Amino acid sequence: QQPVQSPQAVILREGEDAVINCSSSKALYSVHWYRQKHGEAPVFLMILLKGGEQKGHEKISASFNEKKQQSSLYLTASQLSYSGTYFCGTGSNDYKLSFGAGTTVTVRA
Amino acid sequence: EAGVVQSPRYKIIEKKQPVAFWCNPISGHNTLYWYLQNLGQGPELLIRYENEEAVDDSQLPKDRFSAERLKGVDSTLKIQPAELGDSAVYLCASSLDLASGIGNEQFFGPGTRLTVL
C-alpha cells in the first residue's frame, strides 16, 4: 500500500526550514528518500533502516519512527537547489519499494 | 561510473501501435526494476528482475505489456497494443541485489516519456 506524504506542497524562502512527513500502514524495514526535478530521474538522498542505521547525504537529515511507521525529512537552511519533488519510498518484507505521491518544494530567493 | 541508461527519452505513437523501451543498468547491478510514473505521482513498480529472472511481475498488465532481460544485463519493456491511458513516464532503476533493493539505494534512469495519441 502506498505511503502517505504531507504536505503536498510547500513554498520556502532561501534559508527557511521545512519538514516532509511520510506515513505507512505497513510494518517497515526501510524508508528511502528521493528528490526529482522536472523531467529528470529521481535522485537518491537517504535511506533509513530498521534498527537505526542511516545512509545518505551529509546535508540532509531524516528520522524514522519504526513503531509509528513514520519518517520525516528535514530541509534545513534551504537553498534554491532544494527545489523539486520529494518522494518517500517504503520498504517492507516483500522487497518492494512503495512510493508516496510526492511533496513539491519550491524555494524562492 | 555511468548511470542507468534508457532510450528513447521521448516517444509519441498512435493508439494500438506497439512501442518498446530499452534500459542498460549500472554495471554489476543484479537487480533491475521497471516503474511507471504518472504525472504528479510517485513511481509504481511494474516488474523487477534478479539477474534474468522476473521475481515480481504481479503489477505488470500482461495482456499488453511484456518485458525481458536477456543475459541478466539490458532489459526491454514492450507495450502492444498501446492505449491512451499508457501515456506516462517509464523509469528503469537498478540496485546491487534483490535484498539490498530496500536496504541500499536504487539508481534511476532518466525515463522514457510516452505519449499515446
Side-chain angles (χ1 to χ4, degrees):
Chain A
Q1 191 170 358
Q2 189 180 32
V4 177
Q5 286 186 236
S6 63
Q8 286 185 310
V10 60
I11 299 175
L12 304 168
R13 292 205 176 273
E14 274 188 295
E16 291 183 338
D17 302 338
V19 180
I20 301 171
N21 299 303
C22 176
S23 179
S24 174
S25 59
K26 296 172 68 173
L28 300 178
Y29 174 81
S30 65
V31 178
H32 297 219
W33 287 97
Y34 288 82
R35 178 173 61 215
Q36 186 177 31
K37 294 183 182 283
H38 184 69
E40 298 180 8
V43 174
F44 167 75
L45 296 176
M46 172 165 285
I47 290 176
L48 303 103
L49 301 174
K50 188 176 180 179
E53 183 180 356
Q54 295 186 16
K55 309 177 193 179
H57 203 292
E58 290 181 358
K59 295 186 178 180
I60 300 288
S61 63
S63 63
F64 179 20
N65 186 322
E66 297 170 28
K67 289 185 179 179
K68 292 187 176 180
Q69 296 153 195
Q70 296 174 344
S71 177
S72 295
L73 184 72
Y74 304 97
L75 303 180
T76 305
S78 58
Q79 305 171 16
L80 294 176
S81 61
Y82 286 12
S83 292
T85 301
Y86 290 75
F87 293 100
C88 71
T90 53
S92 55
N93 58 2
D94 58 359
Y95 299 110
K96 287 182 183 179
L97 274 190
S98 296
F99 286 91
T103 296
T104 300
V105 173
T106 304
V107 182
R108 294 180 175 166
Chain B
E1 179 182 277
V4 177
V5 179
Q6 289 189 248
S7 68
R9 290 294 313 276
Y10 305 91
K11 190 72 176 180
I12 301 174
I13 61 171
E14 294 189 348
K15 63 180 181 182
K16 299 185 182 180
Q17 294 300 306
V19 64
F21 315 125
W22 176 80
C23 173
N24 179 243
I26 292 173
S27 178
H29 281 195
N30 298 327
T31 307
L32 184 145
Y33 310 78
W34 282 102
Y35 289 92
L36 177 152
Q37 186 175 27
N38 287 306
L39 188 65
Q41 297 295 316
E44 301 172 36
L45 182 69
L46 289 172
I47 188 169
R48 57 191 164 95
Y49 284 91
E50 174 73 6
N51 296 309
E52 60 275 357
E53 181 184 359
V55 295
D56 184 355
D57 62 357
S58 58
Q59 303 301 313
L60 191 72
K62 298 182 185 64
D63 57 336
R64 298 184 300 108
F65 285 66
S66 64
E68 61 181 8
R69 190 183 184 197
L70 300 176
K71 300 181 181 178
V73 182
D74 295 0
S75 178
T76 303
L77 178 69
K78 297 178 182 178
I79 308 175
Q80 182 171 11
E83 297 179 352
L84 295 177
D86 295 333
S87 294
V89 175
Y90 291 82
L91 293 166
C92 179
S94 68
S95 64
L96 278 173
D97 59 65
L98 180 61
S100 75
I102 57 171
N104 281 313
E105 60 265 41
Q106 295 184 17
F107 295 85
F108 284 85
T112 297
R113 182 175 296 276
L114 174 67
T115 302
V116 182
L117 302 176

